[in-house]
Structures are given as structure tokens and as C-alpha cells.
Amino acid sequence: MYSEEISKRRTFAIISHPDAGKTTLTEKLLLFGGAIQTAGAVKSNKIKKSTSSDFMEIERQRGISVATSVMNFEYNGQKINLLDTPGHKDFAEDVYRTLTAVDSVIIVVDCVKGVEEQTEKLMEVCRMRKTPVIVFINKLDREGKRPFELLDEIEAKLRIKVRPLSWPISMGSSFKGVYNLYDKSLYLFRPGGASIGEEVLTVHDIDDRVLDEHLGEYAAQLREDVALLDGVYEPFEQGRYLEAELAPVFFGSAVNNFGVKELLNIFTTIAPPPLSRPADTRAIHPHEKTFSGFVFKIHANIDPRHRDRIAFLRICSGKFERNKFFHHVRLGKDFKFRSPASFLAREKSIIEEAYPGDVIGLYDTGNFKIGDTLTEGEKIMFHGIPSFSPEVFREVLNTDPMRSKQLEKGLEQLTDEGVAQLFSHKQGNRRIIGTVGELQFDVIQYRLLHEYGASCRFVPLSYTKACWLTSTNIKKLAEFSRYRSEHLFTDKDGSLVYFSASDWTLKHVQEEYPEIEFHFSSEVNTGRSGLKARTA
Ligand code: G4P
């Protein structure tokens, strides 16, 4: 029974560059899963097209998005957990962290624009974590790039081998549909159709006359394409997909509900159930009976009148139960949770129990930070909840010396939530905030003032990259620290971090110090990948 619960879970995220169609696809999947009844229900979840001046609106939207952070529905006898990720690029860190809590990913690519920058960055994280990915090429109702060109682009930019499992028949105004290579059926496109924009015909094989009847002149082209791609791409092997070495590719049009059900069917056939996860002392298997889980996201400010926060916990093993005591490894204390929540589209409900693969929301009054682990007593910490190199750096200047303590507390807590990263410089107690986007600074300033009564101003710094340093050569590291002390900072765990002003400087420094390793990400909390400052 317990094993069955685990085996039927599929926990995944949809990622894309803004505007590729992630929200639309999410919505269609939820419609098929019966989690929502009408289109438009998840639209409010979008954070995009906003500039820093309307960050208040963004905060409001973030408030709304908490309810749709984790959506679940049943399909084909499986319990699907879909973790939402914010679309705005300034919240990329949030997305990176959410990717640590999923077992697989669907990537949406716009066929007109091809692979865009944000998708490339997100794919880096998937590759690092060996997360299996399925690619959905969207907007086939528009004149886009040629399918072979798109596949080449995916292989080159996302650096993964692909295998198309469906193939489009023309595109744009003459888009006819797709031929499914997996189950050999023809999906005919019916633009603007009522609820499902497709008609499915089973065909014997690619030479079936049914194709000529329905596709006319396009049948020949389809046959030519299929013959070509069978020669170019290796056959689909589920094992290679699960090893994150091969990405199956589908074509469709989310807004027209075309190819979405097909995607969902395949997803439920091939996507992995919860897998084991590496922790510091050993790997944790989902079927182990004792409970473990980690916090990958903290959402604050849900109700501005209260300082409530929700910590999102991914369950890795055992069973979570309401009102049972669990061990908070970092604090060394036991906690029980009276109202753990699960999320179903926009509704939040209290749950009694949850299983590996599930994500639950725990009300928190400041005990959690990202990367925290809950267990039944075992002292483990999960690996792979990294902090990524920020791209924007600003120094914090206190503008109200009477409220220094509040400022310090606010900075600590907001960075625990993962809003941004906090770095310190030994000399002069300088505090630097690093983020992946400009928006966070407005959010931080606003929240410091309204939640902590502290005020500050930010001074831009000309750095563009932060690297965590490790070396087995302590002498060289000490020498580096001496000569480059101006650019050396420590993160919240005390790990040494080098700030660089440009890729060129970084390259130069790397060449000068081959004994030192420069890492572009670190493990939050554990600080394991970085060397502690005191050893330097
Ligand atoms: P995102 O979450 O990845 O940012 O993208 P979203 O789903 O919001 O889609 C971005 C735009 O692309 C939306 O149009 C959406 O309707 C459109 N879109 C999604 N799928 C398809 C498709 O298959 N074909 C075509 N032609 N368009 C598609 P919008 O004008 O920005 O918003 P809206 O006014 O339509 O809501």
C-alpha cells in the first residue's frame, strides 16, 4: 500500500523562457486532470511583463501564486504533482530551487523563437542534477522554424540528444497535425475547436492510405521526413531518457489544446516516480519507512498583516503525518505541524498524511531556511540545493543607524528565504547582496521597511559573477586570499567567494591560479562545496 502510493507519484515542473506557453500548457494539463474546470484559472499566476516600478504588483501576484505553487491531480491512475515556477527572469533562483524538488521536467519551446536564453540556463540546472526532460515544441499554428532546424538547435543549445516522438505535418496556416511515432497514430489539427483541438486516427504504419486520405499532398512530405529522422535520430529508449541523456520531443499547440493530451499520456508512461536522493551521509531511498524531506522554497508575506510564511517541503522517504513530531536537523529540535497544507489549483487544504514525491506547505514562524531537513531523528542533510552565482551585486548602506539590529535581522531572514544572497567582507563589516535580477532590490528595500522598520540604500558594484572557491592547496588559497582580499567575500555559511568584474578577469585569475577551483554554485546551508573561510 505504502509502496503503491510512492510508485504512483510523478513530481515535475514545466520550464520555459517567458511567453513560450508554460502557463497555457499548465492550464491545459490541469483541465485534463480535472483539477480546474475553466480556462483562465492559472493566468493570475503570471509574473511577467512587469518592470521594477510595479514590484508591488509582483508581490501581490506572488501572494496569489502561492496557492498555485504546487498543483496536483490524478491521471491514468497516477498522482501528478506539478510544481509551478515563476515566469519572470528575475525570479530565476526560485526556479532553480524548485528544480531540486522535482523528478522530471517538461521544457516548452516556442517554434517561432526557438531555444531562448532562459531555457538554456534552466537546462544547465537540469543537466547538473541529471533530471530527465521531455521537450514540447509549442505554437505549431504559427509559421515557425523548420522542425529539423529546431531539433538541431535544441541539441546544440540545450546540449542533449533528442528523439522526436511526434512529427508535425506542415505548420502555421497550413498546419495539419502531427504523426505520433510512438503509437503510430495521426492527430489531425482542428483549429479553434471546442475543447480538444484534435482528432485521432490510428494508422497501420507510415504507408497507410489513411494518411493520403486526410493529408493529401502533405503525406509524401511526412513519409520523407519520417524516413529521414529514423536515419538521423537514435531510437527512443526509456532508460536513456531516465538517465537524462536523451530528450523525447513532441510538437503541438497548447492554446489550441493540440498535442497536450498526447504529451500527458506519454509523460505518465515514461516519467520517473520518486527516486533516491543523495544526502551527506548516504542516499535516501523513497521506499524507506522512516520519514525525511527538505525545504526548497519559503514563501513569505502571504498576508501582509501577519508575518506568516510557508515553507515548502519535498518528501523524500517515509510518511509525513499531521501532528507527529519530526526532527529539524539544523536546529536539533523537534517540531510538529498542526496544519500542513496541500494545494489543489487555487485551493489549499489541510492534509493528514503525505508520501515521497509530495510537496507540502508548512506554516512557519521563522524556523526554516532553504535546504533545511526534517527527519525522524537521523542527522542527514540533502545534497544539491545549490545557491547559484548571482549576477547583480549591491552593497547595503544603513540609512537609519538607530535601527541597525532590525536591518541585520531583516537581511538575515530575507536571505534565508532565498530572496537574495548575502555576502560579507571581513574589512569594515561590509554587507553585499547578490541576486539574479534587479527586482529583488526593490522587494528587499520595501520589505525591510515594512516588516522590520529598517531602511537602507543600495550602492551598485561592478561585479558580474561570484565563484565559490575550493582547493586542496591551502597555501595557494591563502596566497590568493592575501592578494585578492578586496574581492573576496564570505557567504552566509562562511564559505569563501570570489567576486569578479568580468568573464575576462575571471578567466585571467583562473589561469593564474590553476590550483584553485572556481565553482558557479554552492550548496545552500551545508557549505559543503566551498572551503570555509577560517581554513584559508
Ligand atoms: P508563459 O507562461 O510561458 O509566459 O506563456 P503563456 O502561456 O502565457 O503564453 C504566452 C502567449 O502565447 C499567450 O498569448 C498565449 O495565449 C500564447 N500561446 C500559448 N500557446 C500558444 C499556441 O499554441 N499558439 C499560439 N499561437 N499562441 C500560444 P498572450 O497574447 O501573451 O496572452 P493572452 O492574451 O492570449 O492570454
Side-chain angles (χ1 to χ4, degrees), residues 290-292 319-329 332-338 340 352 362 368 373-378:
T290 47
F291 169 82
S292 69
K319 186 160 112 180
F320 179 91
E321 286 170 72
R322 187 165 87 92
N323 279 329
K324 181 172 168 176
F325 275 99
F326 290 110
H327 188 67
H328 187 311
V329 176
K333 276 198 215 158
D334 291 347
F335 288 89
K336 69 174 178 178
F337 303 92
R338 257 192 309 150
E352 292 300 327
L362 303 174
F368 284 115
T373 303
L374 280 185
T375 66
E376 286 188 39
E378 189 175 348

Side-chain angles (χ1 to χ4, degrees), residues 435-479:
T435 65
V436 286
E438 304 276 339
L439 256 166
Q440 272 84 347
F441 292 99
D442 292 338
V443 174
I444 293 168
Q445 204 163 34
Y446 180 87
R447 289 189 56 190
L448 282 172
L449 188 64
H450 289 85
E451 293 171 37
Y452 299 89
S455 60
C456 69
R457 127 184 125 70
F458 296 113
V459 182
L461 301 177
S462 57
Y463 297 117
T464 55
K465 273 249 151 63
C467 303
W468 282 262
L469 303 181
T470 57
S471 178
T472 45
N473 189 335
I474 301 293
K475 231 171 111 190
K476 269 285 169 203
L477 196 58
E479 179 193 312

Side-chain angles (χ1 to χ4, degrees), residues 19-24 46 49 138-139 141-142 253-255:
D19 265 353
K22 179 172 73 73
T23 313
T24 313
K46 284 176 50 164
K49 292 175 190 150
N138 191 27
K139 306 197 186 180
D141 58 319
R142 289 202 180 155
S253 168
V255 81

Side-chain angles (χ1 to χ4, degrees), residues 12 14 20-34 36 73 75-76 80 82 106 108 134-141 166 175 177-178 180 187-189 195-200 250-269:
F12 80 111
I14 304 178
K22 179 172 73 73
T23 313
T24 313
L25 180 63
T26 302
E27 195 165 271
K28 303 296 177 187
L29 292 176
L30 293 179
L31 280 168
F32 281 123
I36 54 169
F73 58 92
Y75 191 81
N76 270 356
I80 319 267
L82 169 51
I106 293 179
V108 185
I134 295 178
V135 178
F136 182 74
I137 299 184
N138 191 27
K139 306 197 186 180
L140 265 285
D141 58 319
S166 76
F175 181 49
V178 298
N180 187 319
Y187 288 65
L188 291 173
F189 179 56
S195 61
I196 297 181
E198 64 194 13
E199 183 188 335
V200 191
F250 292 85
F251 293 85
S253 168
V255 81
N256 289 297
N257 231 341
F258 185 80
V260 178
K261 196 165 184 206
E262 189 192 6
L263 178 71
L264 190 56
N265 284 337
I266 287 280
F267 172 82
T268 48
T269 313

Side-chain angles (χ1 to χ4, degrees), residues 111 137-142 145-151 164-172 174-181 186-187 189 206 215 218-219 221-226 229 249-253 258 262:
C111 75
I137 299 184
N138 191 27
K139 306 197 186 180
L140 265 285
D141 58 319
R142 289 202 180 155
K145 298 186 181 184
R146 288 175 45 245
F148 281 110
E149 193 186 331
L150 284 163
L151 295 179
L165 287 185
S166 76
W167 194 254
I169 301 146
S170 190
M171 57 167 49
S174 61
F175 181 49
K176 294 280 169 278
V178 298
Y179 178 70
N180 187 319
L181 298 144
L186 179 66
Y187 288 65
F189 179 56
I206 191 75
L215 302 176
Y218 293 97
Q221 182 67 45
L222 172 67
R223 289 190 181 111
E224 208 176 291
D225 285 352
V226 169
L229 65 92
V249 179
F250 292 85
F251 293 85
S253 168
F258 185 80
E262 189 192 6

Side-chain angles (χ1 to χ4, degrees), residues 99-100 124-131 277 383-386:
L99 291 180
T100 67
E124 284 293 320
V125 182
C126 295
R127 193 184 3 267
M128 219 168 83
R129 306 185 50 79
K130 288 183 132 282
T131 309
R277 293 195 164 241
H383 277 176
I385 305 148

Side-chain angles (χ1 to χ4, degrees), residues 290-306:
T290 47
F291 169 82
S292 69
F294 66 89
V295 173
F296 64 94
K297 167 169 166 162
I298 291 179
H299 207 297
N301 232 7
I302 297 141
D303 179 349
R305 286 163 303 170
H306 304 109

